[in-house]
Amino acid sequence: MKVKVISRPTDEYTRERSQDLQRVFRNYDPGLRPQEKATEYVRALNAAKLEKIFARPFIGVMDDHIDSISCMAKNPNYLKGIFSGSMDGDIRFWDIASRKTVCQFSGHQGAVRGLTASTDGRTLVSCGSDCTVRLWRVPLPNGLDSVESSSSSSKLLAAYVWKNAFLAADHQWEGDLFATAGAQVDIWDHNRSQPVNSFEWGKDTVVSVRFNPAEPDVLATSASDRSITIYDLRMASPAKKVLMKTKTNAISWNPMEPMNFTAANEDCRCYSYDARKLDEAKCVHQDHVSAVMDIDYSPTGREFVTGSYDRTVRIFPYNGGHSREIFHTKRMQRVFCVKFTCDASYIVSGSDDTNLRLWKANASEQLGVLLPRERKKQEYLEAVKNRYKHLPEIKRIVRHRHLPKPIYKAASLRRTMVEAERKKEERRKAHSAPGSSSTEPFRKRRIIKEID
């Protein structure tokens, strides 16, 4: 008679040190654990509750400005650096880790409306209501330890005076050109005191401009005539234009899907478009209760952050209609600019109360170095929570947010108005002759027409 025995090498269960954890071998046969789904549901429920308990998104404030924050820009060469400009003409370079001013750029006589950094991060471009474009030398990252050592290197490289005020600026992701927006779209070179090219479509003021991350010659703008325009530097005239019912305040391209961009609109919503097909929005993102002032995509391209006139900051999935997170404080006023950091871990918001605030992109994320076992545990709880997120109890806990009373009441009133409008449309259609009235798709309602 032959007897088969289980034989394991000694190395598989012997601890190298007495402090090591004892290895445990599991049999994953589902027949041995009939209560597995019930157990995982309880774990998912507890994980959702713990996420709410440990949700502490606010990290700190940077409060050296003495006037409203009007614009911000990231430094592509330095992960912890960010630029901010205020309405009194003050420009500062911040170290996010220490939340202190590294250096200050003084020279503008009016509000700073546009900030952008060059591809190598060594040159800062600023423009504003004083009709000037200024180029500054940015201090090296290794000199960011003290303000005194870096202030000497943050000097003015050039100042160009133009015939109109500026409202926005953006630099090519790869290249030496940058664009300014005002009465028209002007394309500048670092070594030229005059624009190398100018574009306009109509006589309305251009309020925002953004270069495409993949095509350096393609840029999108929004204007005060409620239009969104696509320009190509290789062409003598603009390429496409779409006219909406309300004005677009800001535009941001998706860095992972460069054919798509999202527009922050005055009607409390954001609209995601495919640049190749502007007659219909790909997705409508709604939750704000006032005008959306700024928008910025995460480097991962999976979500974007918005700042609104309703004094809140929201994070939306790139293909979702509703926000997954909302940030607010009692003292934060109207948010004029928001940015994701270059590692997609943090968000910086600038508001009317002269402060920049630093937030965690994931409210309950643990800061600092995690042990491998801690990381695996968190990944497991996240996977279990996603598996059972459709169930009512877990769905309710994950979606619940405490809102300030004015925002809660405004959101409730807005839902009532939308529902009343929907019922009115249904009744009009029900009492009309068959085929005489048609329902316009929600993604086309705010679009007037597309112009080629």
Side-chain angles (χ1 to χ4, degrees):
M1 183 179 68
K2 294 182 180 180
V3 178
K4 294 183 179 180
V5 297
I6 298 176
S7 177
R8 291 196 182 98
T10 310
D11 297 339
E12 289 188 4
Y13 58 87
T14 304
R15 294 184 292 179
E16 296 181 0
R17 295 181 299 273
S18 59
Q19 294 85 5
D20 292 348
L21 295 174
Q22 189 71 43
R23 296 186 181 182
V24 178
F25 296 92
R26 291 188 60 193
N27 187 343
Y28 290 96
D29 182 10
L32 299 178
R33 291 183 299 280
Q35 299 296 322
E36 180 182 12
K37 287 188 177 181
T39 303
E40 285 191 343
Y41 172 76
V42 173
R43 289 175 181 171
L45 192 63
N46 291 336
K49 293 178 180 178
L50 288 174
E51 184 183 30
K52 294 301 172 188
I53 292 174
F54 292 113
R56 298 290 185 272
F58 182 65
I59 297 177
V61 66
M62 297 174 276
D63 56 355
D64 288 349
H65 280 289
I66 59 175
D67 208 340
S68 302
I69 312 297
S70 55
C71 54
M72 290 193 301
K74 292 181 281 191
N75 188 346
N77 199 34
Y78 182 53
L79 185 65
K80 299 188 296 180
I82 194 165
F83 302 97
S84 65
S86 64
M87 299 295 287
D88 62 348
D90 185 23
I91 302 172
R92 292 177 182 266
F93 184 30
W94 300 87
D95 182 22
I96 296 178
S98 61
R99 301 200 295 276
K100 293 182 179 179
T101 301
V102 172
C103 63
Q104 194 172 356
F105 307 89
S106 302
H108 280 282
Q109 302 301 317
V112 180
R113 291 294 189 175
L115 281 179
T116 183
S118 61
T119 307
D120 58 1
R122 297 290 293 121
T123 305
L124 173 68
V125 179
S126 64
C127 61
S129 58
D130 57 355
C131 306
T132 61
V133 176
R134 295 175 183 267
L135 276 63
W136 311 84
R137 177 182 294 165
V138 180
L140 292 172
N142 55 15
L144 297 178
D145 296 332
S146 64
V147 176
E148 293 78 14
S149 64
S150 59
S151 59
S152 60
S153 60
S154 58
K155 71 174 185 178
L156 180 66
L157 297 177
Y160 308 138
V161 181
W162 197 230
K163 55 189 177 184
N164 57 263
F166 299 102
L167 295 179
D170 193 40
H171 200 284
Q172 283 182 324
W173 288 57
E174 292 291 338
D176 297 327
L177 301 178
F178 64 91
T180 56
Q184 59 189 4
V185 179
D186 297 314
I187 310 300
W188 302 74
D189 192 291
H190 286 262
N191 302 317
R192 299 279 298 274
S193 60
Q194 298 285 331
V196 297
N197 204 348
S198 295
F199 296 96
E200 62 179 351
W201 194 338
K203 298 298 180 183
D204 291 276
T205 304
V206 183
V207 298
S208 70
V209 58
R210 283 290 181 271
F211 272 101
N212 188 285
E215 287 289 343
D217 294 322
V218 176
L219 67 156
T221 65
S222 63
S224 58
D225 64 346
R226 311 184 310 278
S227 66
I228 300 173
T229 312
I230 307 293
Y231 293 92
D232 194 331
L233 304 185
R234 297 162 294 189
M235 299 173 62
S237 60
K240 280 186 176 183
K241 183 177 181 179
V242 59
L243 195 63
M244 301 186 67
K245 292 185 178 180
T246 46
K247 189 181 78 170
T248 296
N249 291 317
I251 290 174
S252 182
W253 293 90
N254 189 332
M256 293 292 107
E257 298 176 357
M259 74 291 292
N260 299 330
F261 66 88
T262 304
N265 205 271
E266 284 276 344
D267 66 349
C268 316
R269 300 185 180 102
C270 295
Y271 297 88
S272 292
Y273 287 96
D274 189 329
R276 302 163 296 184
K277 188 175 181 294
L278 294 178
D279 60 342
E280 180 181 0
K282 288 172 63 69
C283 186
V284 180
H285 314 273
Q286 51 186 348
D287 266 344
H288 282 293
V289 295
S290 189
V292 186
M293 304 303 296
D294 197 16
I295 183 172
D296 187 48
Y297 259 96
S298 165
T300 61
R302 310 306 295 176
E303 56 190 13
F304 60 87
V305 60
T306 58
S308 173
Y309 210 75
D310 62 9
R311 306 186 298 279
T312 62
V313 176
R314 289 182 181 266
I315 303 176
F316 290 84
Y318 79 105
N319 57 355
H322 296 278
S323 61
R324 73 161 178 86
E325 194 62 82
I326 177 172
F327 298 150
H328 56 85
T329 65
K330 288 184 178 180
R331 297 181 180 179
M332 185 166 69
Q333 298 301 311
R334 296 164 296 194
V335 182
F336 290 142
C337 48
V338 288
K339 291 290 180 187
F340 258 104
T341 56
C342 295
D343 61 350
S345 298
Y346 304 98
I347 291 168
V348 184
S349 65
S351 54
D352 199 17
D353 56 5
T354 76
N355 291 332
L356 276 83
R357 288 177 172 84
L358 185 63
W359 313 82
K360 291 189 290 186
N362 295 315
S364 59
E365 183 181 10
Q366 180 180 343
L367 299 179
V369 180
L370 296 179
L371 297 174
R373 294 183 71 244
E374 292 177 325
R375 187 180 297 108
K376 289 181 180 179
K377 176 68 173 178
Q378 290 185 2
E379 291 174 355
Y380 169 73
L381 292 179
E382 189 68 25
V384 169
K385 191 174 60 178
N386 288 333
R387 182 178 180 182
Y388 294 95
K389 64 182 179 181
H390 61 282
L391 297 179
E393 188 68 17
I394 296 177
K395 186 177 182 180
R396 182 188 64 83
I397 295 173
V398 170
R399 289 185 57 186
H400 179 73
R401 297 289 184 277
H402 287 288
L403 294 177
K405 188 175 290 185
I407 298 175
Y408 180 82
K409 289 185 175 180
S412 178
L413 177 62
R414 189 169 178 81
R415 283 194 298 270
T416 303
M417 294 168 60
V418 171
E419 183 66 18
E421 186 179 352
R422 185 187 64 82
K423 286 184 178 179
K424 185 177 181 180
E425 182 66 26
E426 286 182 354
R427 288 166 181 165
R428 181 185 291 114
K429 190 175 181 180
H431 291 80
S432 300
S436 62
S437 63
S438 60
T439 303
E440 192 175 16
F442 185 61
R443 293 178 294 180
K444 289 186 176 182
R445 287 179 190 172
R446 306 300 297 181
I447 300 173
I448 296 177
K449 61 179 177 179
E450 181 185 6
I451 308 171
D452 289 327

